[in-house]
Amino acid sequence: MRREMDQLFGDWPGRGLVGARSSGFSPKIDLYYCGEPQRAVVKVDLAGVELGEVTIEVSGRELAISGERALQETEGRVYQQVEIDSGPFRRIVELQADVDAERAKATYEDGVLRIELPLREQTDTARRVPIDRE
């Protein structure tokens, strides 16, 4: 019965809400590959996040998006439900192809951050490696 009560009132103000919300969150993303020339497109749900708080880094096949969504004022309010995450976030996205980080671009519209990462050209050159005898 206690477990069911904890599940029912787990997000009730004063019962762990501040601790749970202050630890941050992981924004939802969509990732797909398309276009000609080929590119990876990452869409990140960042509604309510100030763009000045967002950082995008590309390293090899790893895309890192970090920032913070400000905590809403809660004084004088009694919440029935809290589902909009707040606090700091850092989301690492593993890409399945090599990208050209120098040509990456990002736009923000209607709460969605869209990052386009052109794929690196694949070289079809093969090289025969000689074997030395010692």
Side-chain angles (χ1 to χ4, degrees):
M1 180 178 205
R2 181 174 174 88
R3 185 182 70 237
E4 291 174 0
M5 292 297 286
D6 285 343
Q7 287 176 342
L8 180 63
F9 294 107
D11 282 345
W12 190 258
R15 278 193 51 93
L17 177 66
V18 174
R21 297 291 181 206
S22 64
S23 64
F25 68 102
S26 181
K28 292 180 172 55
I29 68 159
D30 288 344
L31 167 60
Y32 57 91
Y33 300 88
C34 68
E36 200 49 56
Q38 284 283 303
R39 67 185 179 277
V41 178
V42 180
K43 295 169 86 176
V44 189
D45 182 6
L46 293 181
V49 175
E50 293 291 327
L51 287 183
E53 299 290 321
V54 178
T55 302
I56 303 168
E57 298 173 359
V58 180
S59 178
R61 288 187 172 192
E62 188 175 273
L63 170 68
I65 305 134
S66 58
E68 185 167 354
R69 181 183 288 138
L71 183 63
Q72 295 182 13
E73 181 181 331
T74 59
E75 190 168 324
R77 299 177 183 176
V78 177
Y79 282 89
Q80 173 180 320
Q81 203 162 330
V82 177
E83 294 183 7
I84 299 173
D85 296 316
S86 61
F89 64 86
R90 181 165 175 84
R91 181 72 191 258
I92 306 294
V93 180
E94 295 292 332
L95 304 166
Q96 298 300 313
D98 293 324
V99 296
D100 185 350
E102 296 298 319
R103 296 188 310 139
K105 62 181 180 178
T107 56
Y108 183 81
E109 185 178 347
D110 295 333
V112 177
L113 176 66
R114 179 186 170 101
I115 305 163
E116 292 192 21
L117 302 152
L119 301 187
R120 285 195 185 270
E121 296 287 328
Q122 295 292 330
T123 58
D124 290 335
T125 60
R127 178 178 176 261
R128 187 172 293 239
V129 179
I131 302 171
D132 293 332
R133 292 185 187 246
E134 294 193 26

